[in-house]
Amino acid sequence: MARLPLQVLLRMHLPGSAEVCYAETKNVSAGGIFFTTANRELTAGQELDCVMVLPEQITHLSLPVLIGCRGKILRIQEYHPDPFIGVAMEISSYDFSFENETDAAQIKAVKGIFGSAKAAEAT
């Protein structure tokens, strides 16, 4: 998989938890992902399940494509602006699927949250 030119939304699930948290990718390759998130409960060495949401601009399809990823967090670093941290994750497996309309509405709402954070960062 080539590096993705656009930032991609990431939904994360910690093993053994029903909680869902969100992140935004900064760098994606076949072997790993670097992303930013406000979830400070993540730790190096932790296993993580996540779903990358590839937007229509990348896939050229009518709905986003979901790529399930499983891997291990390699490192955590402070990231500006607060409260975000940077997370490097090594990918051990992928699962590809298409999104349904219900998920599409939720993802659009979350994209608005990240857009608001970027606007605040620029000021």
Side-chain angles (χ1 to χ4, degrees):
M1 175 186 291
R3 289 179 190 241
L4 296 176
L6 298 174
Q7 294 175 333
V8 174
L9 181 66
L10 193 66
R11 289 190 296 202
M12 299 180 294
H13 299 270
L14 300 175
S17 172
E19 183 181 346
V20 175
C21 53
Y22 296 92
E24 187 174 62
T25 65
K26 299 296 180 187
N27 191 341
V28 178
S29 69
I33 304 170
F34 182 78
F35 59 88
T36 58
T37 182
N39 184 335
R40 292 185 170 264
E41 296 177 21
L42 302 175
T43 59
Q46 184 176 33
E47 295 290 323
L48 186 63
D49 292 326
C50 58
V51 177
M52 282 189 291
V53 182
L54 299 181
E56 298 88 340
Q57 298 91 327
I58 292 175
T59 65
H60 301 289
L61 299 171
S62 62
L63 286 174
V65 172
L66 304 181
I67 302 176
C69 303
R70 177 172 284 227
K72 183 164 86 174
I73 296 175
L74 299 177
R75 73 177 185 282
I76 305 286
Q77 68 186 53
E78 290 301 314
Y79 199 84
H80 186 75
D82 286 335
F84 297 102
I85 57 171
V87 179
M89 178 178 151
E90 179 180 41
I91 301 296
S92 58
S93 66
Y94 291 101
D95 176 36
F96 292 82
S97 63
F98 290 89
E99 176 177 303
N100 63 42
E101 292 290 341
T102 303
D103 285 343
Q106 180 183 16
I107 289 164
K108 286 178 184 173
V110 172
K111 283 181 181 177
I113 293 168
F114 279 100
S116 298
K118 286 182 183 174
E121 176 184 331
T123 58

